[in-house]
Amino acid sequence: MIYEIRVYEAAEGKAPAMRARFKEHVVPRLQRFGIELLGVFEAPTDDGRLTYLTRFNSEDDRTKAWAAFGADSEWREIKAASEVNGPLLKSQTVSVLAPAVAGLILA
């Protein structure tokens, strides 16, 4: 199993729009592309970030899933329409992890 943690930092003043796009348009599409969403997190105080955790069977599956998601014409249209006044993301960080000790994964 491969786990991935993505942290999105919103552009100035765009955190509500970033979170809305994620909830309304990204989450419903993930499973369609083989991306298993394990959780979505925010800081207790709004810091403009959104963090989520996904799981894949292999690194190859992860690479193919994100490539397919990014190439999806419907997603590309939604992304473009949501960014007519500029990008919603200032930055994103992606960390890919594999279990270090077998049997300690709770999910």
Side-chain angles (χ1 to χ4, degrees):
M1 283 294 188
I2 299 293
Y3 294 82
E4 178 183 69
I5 299 171
R6 288 186 174 236
V7 180
Y8 292 169
E9 184 176 352
E12 186 69 33
K14 306 275 179 107
M18 174 193 69
R19 289 185 179 113
R21 181 177 74 183
F22 186 81
K23 179 181 177 184
E24 296 166 17
H25 300 290
V26 174
V27 170
R29 286 175 171 72
L30 293 177
Q31 196 168 28
R32 186 181 322 165
F33 294 98
I35 301 168
E36 183 182 359
L37 181 64
L38 298 179
V40 182
F41 309 91
E42 298 175 339
T45 57
D46 187 7
D47 62 358
R49 290 185 300 159
L50 178 73
T51 301
Y52 64 102
L53 176 65
T54 58
R55 178 170 53 193
F56 303 88
N57 287 326
S58 68
E59 176 60 24
D60 187 53
D61 287 347
R62 185 186 80 82
T63 301
K64 288 177 181 175
W66 282 119
F69 183 94
D72 180 65
S73 60
E74 186 179 10
W75 164 246
R76 293 168 74 95
E77 289 175 16
I78 290 165
K79 185 176 186 300
S82 68
E83 295 184 339
V84 292
N85 295 317
L88 299 185
L89 294 181
K90 176 180 174 183
S91 66
Q92 72 174 300
T93 304
V94 178
S95 299
V96 179
L97 306 165
V101 179
L104 290 181
I105 303 302
L106 302 177

